[in-house]
Amino acid sequence: MTTPWDEWDHVLKVDPDKDLVAGETFEDVCATGTDAIEIGGTTGMTKEKMETVVDACAKYGVPLYQEPSNPAVVIDDDALDGYLIPTVFNAGDSFWVTGAHKEWVRIENGLDWSRTHTEAYIVLNPDSSVAEYTDADCDQSPDDVAAYAAVAEKLFGQEIVYIEYSGTFGDPETVEAASDALDDTTLFYGGGIGDYDAAKEMSQYADVIVVGDLLHDEGCDAVRETVEGAKAAEDTDPT
Ligand SMILES: CC(C)=CCC/C(C)=C/CC/C(C)=C/CC/C(C)=C/COP(=O)(O)OP(=O)(O)O
Ligand SMILES: O=P(O)(O)OC[C@@H](O)CO
Ligand SMILES: [Mg+2]
């Protein structure tokens, strides 16, 4: 099966609870060269903030995906290409594995399944909001992470495995182990990518790198460098 993310190298994650750098617009954000924009964050999410970002990005042709951190912030908007729905494989509370999902399906009157996709998160930075929120067990060796990745693909049919180091640059060996464990599922890596070299390094192992805080802290030129790093690694990838 072909998926849109087969063709991606770089995703920009826009946090609707954070500002852009002074003087920058969402038109600039959409012109960074990123392959897709994912809209989401852990804390401070509301439907209104989500809508503001979708509306501001809708006319520039970059694929837009919502990544909700809870069912109450999911928006129904035709400008979205789809929904990337996380499941946290190493969560301490099963609410973040299937509970939130069950509640979401129960309260919604019919979902657009054709635009709804799965992301198997493995959360590895214990100091991140997402680790705290989901009570994730971040003490995982590369072998553990590889096993989680295989379970996500082979037993749970997840479309994406997402190695999440939100806020800090992760362990490349761990990302490589996850990559080696996967056949068809797409590997996303996110966390602490701040320049060309970091983007290129993780792109050796991850199919897609996700850049978040850099947009809000440093701005669009810095993000553009990470796009170039991701694309440069892709060009030298022998597989
Ligand atoms: C079933 C539905 C619709 C939702 C539940 C989805 C789940 C399981 C969410 C768990 C938390 C999660 C994986 C959220 C995704 C977004 C994310 C990881 C954002 C990064 O957050 P941080 O960078 O830690 O937080 P802040 O940037 O807000 O500080
Ligand atoms: O904000 P950063 O550290 O770039 O992380 C990106 C993303 O993985 C967060 O969910
Ligand atoms: Mg964040």
Side-chain angles (χ1 to χ4, degrees), residues 13 18 38 40-42 67 121 130 162-169 189-193 210-214:
K13 189 177 289 192
K18 291 182 183 157
E38 201 175 14
T42 302
E67 187 189 52
Y121 264 76
V130 64
Y162 193 134
I163 306 286
E164 173 65 294
Y165 278 93
S166 180
T168 192
F169 192 69
Y189 166 83
I193 292 181
V210 183
V211 171
D213 288 350
L214 190 69

Side-chain angles (χ1 to χ4, degrees), residues 9-219:
D9 302 309
H10 185 284
V11 165
L12 184 56
K13 189 177 289 192
V14 176
D15 185 331
D17 192 42
K18 291 182 183 157
D19 293 327
L20 298 180
V21 163
E24 294 193 344
T25 65
F26 282 102
E27 183 173 5
D28 302 328
V29 171
C30 293
T32 53
T34 191
D35 295 309
I37 291 177
E38 201 175 14
I39 304 157
T42 302
T43 54
M45 294 303 114
T46 64
K47 281 190 178 182
E48 291 69 27
K49 290 179 198 169
M50 293 282 189
E51 285 288 2
T52 301
V53 177
V54 174
D55 289 350
C57 294
K59 65 177 177 193
Y60 300 111
V62 180
L64 295 180
Y65 287 79
Q66 189 186 11
E67 187 189 52
S69 53
N70 71 73
V73 301
V74 180
I75 58 173
D76 182 7
D77 192 319
D78 289 342
L80 286 171
D81 291 80
Y83 302 89
L84 297 177
I85 305 298
T87 284
V88 180
F89 271 56
N90 59 329
D93 180 341
S94 67
F95 185 75
W96 304 111
V97 186
T98 52
H101 313 73
K102 182 269 288 178
E103 277 307 299
W104 183 44
V105 173
R106 192 177 65 79
I107 59 182
E108 291 293 328
N109 234 334
L111 283 169
D112 182 358
W113 293 113
S114 68
R115 287 196 299 155
T116 303
H117 306 284
T118 55
E119 284 180 318
Y121 264 76
I122 306 162
V123 172
L124 295 172
N125 174 11
D127 299 323
S128 62
S129 309
V130 64
E132 201 177 321
Y133 187 65
T134 62
D135 193 20
D137 176 359
C138 300
D139 186 15
Q140 309 288 344
S141 69
D143 280 355
D144 291 324
V145 171
Y148 267 129
V151 167
E153 174 172 354
K154 305 296 183 194
L155 296 181
F156 288 85
Q158 298 282 298
E159 295 168 83
I160 293 164
V161 165
Y162 193 134
I163 306 286
E164 173 65 294
Y165 278 93
S166 180
T168 192
F169 192 69
D171 171 30
E173 205 188 308
T174 297
V175 184
E176 184 176 18
S179 170
D180 289 346
L182 294 173
D183 288 327
D184 298 320
T185 292
T186 301
L187 183 63
F188 280 29
Y189 166 83
I193 292 181
D195 59 21
Y196 178 96
D197 290 337
K200 193 171 172 190
E201 183 175 8
M202 280 308 183
S203 298
Q204 292 177 80
Y205 311 118
D207 298 309
V208 177
I209 57 157
V210 183
V211 171
D213 288 350
L214 190 69
L215 173 69
H216 303 284
D217 295 342
E218 303 290 334

